[in-house]
């Protein structure tokens, strides 16, 4: 009996076409196994060699600072960010990231706008009065060495999308949320009051070392 591999319609797939399809299937299976670690130890099949090919850092601008940084607060927050699809279960589409954000917020007094009207000195230079603007808080600065993702849960579609992208937007979202929570905590921490107290102590010590016996520092 004579057999034939002809497909319906009388067309036959070329031998090189069958080989190409087979290779594509094998490559796809290897990528999926390595990407999702479906087989224990499969993640080490493809070794990574990291090279830093970055160009030199360029100085874009330079700014003189006229502020006295009087206090710094260290904060840590655990961010639990979940994004769900409206009509799909979490196993299919959705992400949940648990992220520990650690950073600092500084309290400072701006001395750049001070003028003669802000400083009053008596005739024999024994008394001095200074009026300063209230201390303010700088934006939170996350510390990359102390901030990290504890866990990331992703639906099937999100995992497939990660095959083509490292999804940096997801990491950026939790970082922004961590900075936002740290800024809120700093506003309620008394850091502004501490910054004004330390600025007052600094100015009193400086002016007394210059011979002033009575120093008054006010804010507002």
């Amino acid at each position: 009996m004579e057999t034939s591999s002809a497909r319906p319609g009388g067309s036959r797939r070329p031998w090189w076409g069958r080989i190409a399809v087979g290779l594509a299937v094998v490559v796809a299976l290897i990528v999926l196994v390595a990407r999702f670690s479906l087989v224990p130890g499969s993640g080490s099949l493809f070794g990574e060699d990291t090279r830093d090919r970055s160009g030199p850092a360029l100085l874009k601008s330079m700014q003189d600072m006229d502020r006295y940084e009087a206090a710094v607060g260290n904060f840590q927050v655990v961010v639990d960010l979940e994004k769900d699809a409206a009509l799909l279960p979490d196993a299919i589409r959705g992400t949940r990231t648990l992220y520990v954000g650690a950073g600092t917020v500084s309290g400072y007094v701006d001395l750049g706008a001070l003028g003669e009207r802000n400083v009053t000195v008596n005739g024999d230079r024994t008394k001095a009065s200074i009026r300063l603007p209230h201390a303010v808080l700088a934006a939170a600065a996350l510390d990359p060495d102390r901030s990290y993702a504890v866990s990331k849960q992703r639906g099937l579609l999100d995992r497939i999308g990660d095959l083509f992208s490292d999804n940096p937007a997801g990491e950026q979202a939790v970082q922004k949320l961590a900075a936002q929570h740290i800024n809120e905590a700093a506003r309620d921490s008394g850091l502004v009051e501490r910054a004004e107290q330390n600025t007052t102590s600094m100015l009193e010590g400086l002016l007394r070392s210059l011979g002033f016996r009575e120093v008054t520092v006010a804010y507002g």
Side-chain angles (χ1 to χ4, degrees):
M1 178 180 294
E2 184 177 351
T3 60
S4 174
S5 60
R7 294 184 299 173
S11 62
R12 183 190 298 269
R13 184 189 299 274
W15 64 269
W16 52 266
R18 294 195 294 272
I19 293 177
V21 171
L23 288 175
V25 172
V26 171
V27 171
L29 289 175
I30 292 175
V31 171
L32 288 174
V33 169
R35 182 70 176 183
F36 299 117
S37 300
L38 300 178
V39 177
S42 62
S44 60
L45 289 176
F46 304 98
E48 292 185 354
D49 186 12
T50 303
R51 293 188 178 93
D52 185 2
R53 302 185 184 276
S54 306
L58 301 177
L59 176 63
K60 303 295 291 185
S61 64
M62 187 177 296
Q63 180 179 356
D64 292 332
M65 304 302 294
D66 294 320
R67 66 189 192 186
Y68 176 67
E69 189 171 291
V72 177
N74 292 283
F75 299 87
Q76 186 178 75
V77 62
V78 178
V79 176
D80 188 350
L81 181 61
E82 184 175 6
K83 294 183 179 181
D84 297 323
L87 302 177
L88 294 175
D90 293 343
I92 301 298
R93 183 64 186 271
T95 61
R96 183 175 181 181
T97 304
L98 195 63
Y99 181 83
V100 175
T104 59
V105 177
S106 61
Y108 66 91
V109 176
D110 187 2
L111 305 178
L114 294 182
E116 294 182 358
R117 59 184 177 83
N118 299 101
V119 181
T120 303
V121 178
N122 66 344
D124 56 1
R125 298 182 60 83
T126 58
K127 297 181 181 180
S129 298
I130 303 175
R131 177 164 293 277
L132 302 173
H134 283 292
V136 294
L137 299 178
L142 286 182
D143 185 350
D145 293 330
R146 297 189 295 128
S147 302
Y148 56 93
V150 178
S151 65
K152 294 181 180 180
Q153 301 175 9
R154 293 163 294 173
L156 178 60
L157 294 180
D158 299 280
R159 287 178 176 270
I160 294 176
D162 286 347
L163 288 173
F164 307 97
S165 171
D166 289 335
N167 193 22
E171 192 80 4
Q172 188 180 34
V174 291
Q175 290 174 352
K176 286 185 176 181
L177 196 55
Q180 176 183 332
H181 286 310
I182 289 176
N183 284 326
E184 293 172 354
R187 287 194 290 268
D188 299 328
S189 66
L191 192 58
V192 168
E193 291 78 7
R194 174 69 67 87
E196 292 185 356
Q197 293 171 5
N198 292 343
T199 302
T200 298
S201 298
M202 181 274 295
L203 290 174
E204 287 177 347
L206 176 62
L207 292 176
R208 286 197 172 100
S209 68
L210 296 176
F212 291 92
R213 295 194 295 269
E214 183 177 335
V215 179
T216 303
V217 180
Y219 295 89

